[in-house]
Amino acid sequence: MTKKALITGFTGQVGSQMADFLLEKTDYDVVGMMRWQEPMENIYHLTEQINNKERISVYYADLNDYAAMARMLKDIRPDVIFHLAAQSFPKTSFNIPIETLQTNIIGTANLLENIRQLKENEDYDPVVHVCSSSEVYGRAKPGEALAEDTKFHGASPYSISKIGTDYLGQFYGEAYGIKTYVTRMGTHTGPRRSDVFFESTVAKQIALIEAGLQEPIVKVGNLASVRTFQDARDAVRAYYLLSLESEIGNVPCGEAFNIAGEEAYKLPEVIDVLLSFSTRDDIEVQTDTDRLRPIDADYQMFDNTKIRSFIDWKPEIPTKKMFEDLLNHWRDEIKSGRVPLSR
């Protein structure tokens, strides 16, 4: 029987690329969960398949609606769930902390509690990927390689919400035997990355400048940060491989994994790389105080040792190729008439 995969957060960068991966590399039927009013930019290329019901469909639900989650799980009964939905922008979380905590913690609890009840009452036993974040480590000590046992230190309402998400994934695995595994993905980017994130807003602004839609000034926030980068397309491959190992019992229920790139950049270096791909040589960079956070996670260097002991995986897409693809994504958006907001 063909397996069913449910992706929450289907319309986001990672969710849409997870769908692309499963459709290309597996024979799974894919169900994308989304709220009815979500933007469709990242899944336009899939609409013909969705309309024709060719291995992929959409289910409208909201993490914060417990009854809707129950109905969705009973209707679909997916074999594997990639839980990627979240309020995922750290800076925004300072403005909407309650919504961030509600969606990321209570929304995850709504999903996992419904799975628990189905497991106990109807012998339903899916594999559940709970997407946490490298932001759980928060204000890490410079020079420290962040491993799975590194102490959490929340640096935003978002990171605190992901600490809750992380613990829920571990708890429901350990307490109830649900086949959960938790991932803490480091900084990731590439095509479809939201323009609220640093490297994507820089690339978007460069594309706007090249198109004559913005003066030749790129506005940025805090640049005093160093971190590893990886392409989200590499990360979804790791998500899938971990799901296979979890299904056959090789991943203990509730186990947590770092997934991170292995090429590190200071943020000014990221700007230099993106500017090197530009057709303009007159672009300036200015700090915009509106883009600064009250607290920043300034150091994010990760240890991938653990995940490599469970699956045969490493990042394959070079970061410079990833940054170039990101810039080309914004160029293509603008050429197609989808001019983004200047933010």
Side-chain angles (χ1 to χ4, degrees):
M1 177 179 271
T2 302
K3 290 182 181 178
K4 289 183 182 179
L6 170 67
I7 302 171
T8 74
F10 167 56
T11 62
Q13 178 203 14
V14 182
S16 63
Q17 290 176 345
M18 188 82 244
D20 289 346
F21 178 90
L22 294 174
L23 292 170
E24 179 182 353
K25 301 295 185 181
T26 77
D27 62 356
Y28 291 6
D29 287 335
V30 176
V31 180
M33 188 195 96
M34 61 180 288
R35 294 169 297 178
W36 70 269
Q37 78 276 30
E38 286 186 23
M40 303 282 287
E41 290 89 345
N42 292 334
I43 59 170
Y44 275 130
H45 65 291
L46 295 174
T47 53
E48 184 175 354
Q49 281 182 266
I50 294 170
N51 290 341
N52 292 330
K53 297 181 171 57
E54 296 176 0
R55 293 183 53 211
I56 183 167
S57 60
V58 168
Y59 198 104
Y60 295 105
D62 190 313
L63 284 175
N64 289 315
D65 187 334
Y66 185 88
M69 300 302 289
R71 183 169 57 251
M72 177 183 68
L73 290 170
K74 289 180 179 179
D75 286 348
I76 301 171
R77 296 184 73 87
D79 301 284
V80 58
I81 299 169
F82 296 98
H83 175 40
L84 309 178
Q87 192 301 96
S88 59
F89 185 38
K91 185 175 185 302
T92 297
S93 73
F94 288 99
N95 297 324
I96 53 169
I98 304 305
E99 179 182 341
T100 301
L101 296 169
Q102 174 72 35
T103 299
N104 296 357
I105 298 178
I106 302 304
T108 299
N110 285 340
L111 174 65
L112 292 173
E113 180 61 17
N114 270 299
I115 293 169
R116 181 187 73 82
Q117 293 196 28
L118 284 173
K119 178 178 172 65
E120 291 182 358
N121 298 324
E122 300 184 22
D123 198 29
Y124 174 56
D125 193 23
V127 171
V128 186
H129 166 216
V130 176
C131 186
S132 178
S133 169
S134 63
E135 289 276 337
V136 297
Y137 301 117
R139 293 179 65 84
K141 296 178 182 177
E144 179 181 17
L146 302 176
E148 285 79 1
D149 58 358
T150 298
K151 182 180 178 181
F152 291 168
H153 186 159
S156 67
Y158 169 74
S159 66
I160 293 168
S161 76
K162 280 300 188 178
I163 290 170
T165 299
D166 199 295
Y167 280 140
L168 283 167
Q170 294 180 65
F171 169 74
Y172 272 84
E174 294 172 357
Y176 303 117
I178 297 173
K179 290 182 286 193
T180 61
Y181 62 94
V182 178
T183 61
R184 303 168 188 159
M185 178 159 58
T187 303
H188 58 282
T189 192
R192 306 180 202 164
R193 180 68 158 164
S194 171
D195 66 340
V196 297
F197 294 98
F198 167 75
E199 71 291 338
S200 192
T201 193
V202 171
K204 178 198 71 175
Q205 290 180 73
I206 291 171
L208 286 168
I209 291 166
E210 290 176 345
L213 298 172
Q214 179 174 319
E215 62 180 333
I217 298 174
V218 169
K219 296 181 179 181
V220 298
N222 174 34
L223 297 181
S225 178
V226 60
R227 58 191 59 202
T228 58
F229 282 85
Q230 71 173 325
D231 197 296
R233 293 168 290 187
D234 276 329
V236 299
R237 180 166 47 87
Y239 292 170
Y240 168 71
L241 292 174
L242 283 171
S243 75
L244 297 181
E245 296 301 312
S246 181
E247 181 181 19
I248 60 177
N250 288 346
V251 173
C253 296
E255 200 73 12
F257 299 90
N258 288 340
I259 302 178
E262 297 177 345
E263 296 182 75
Y265 288 85
K266 297 176 181 178
L267 296 191
E269 294 173 333
V270 173
I271 297 173
D272 290 341
V273 170
L274 287 165
L275 288 175
S276 73
F277 297 126
S278 179
T279 58
R280 298 279 295 263
D281 60 4
D282 61 341
I283 298 175
E284 300 178 14
V285 178
Q286 291 183 2
T287 299
D288 179 359
T289 57
D290 289 339
R291 297 171 185 265
L292 299 175
R293 306 181 197 173
I295 304 176
D296 251 324
D298 293 332
Y299 183 84
Q300 294 194 339
M301 303 287 287
F302 302 95
D303 184 343
N304 277 333
T305 301
K306 182 177 179 180
I307 191 172
R308 287 190 171 189
S309 71
F310 279 80
I311 59 173
D312 182 15
W313 175 87
K314 66 178 181 179
E316 294 180 349
I317 300 172
T319 52
K320 288 187 177 180
K321 167 64 173 169
M322 172 191 71
F323 288 132
E324 185 176 22
D325 288 350
L326 174 61
L327 178 56
N328 285 332
H329 162 77
W330 285 116
R331 287 167 171 162
D332 290 342
E333 288 291 291
I334 293 167
K335 286 178 183 176
S336 68
R338 293 191 289 269
V339 178
L341 292 173
S342 296
R343 59 176 181 174

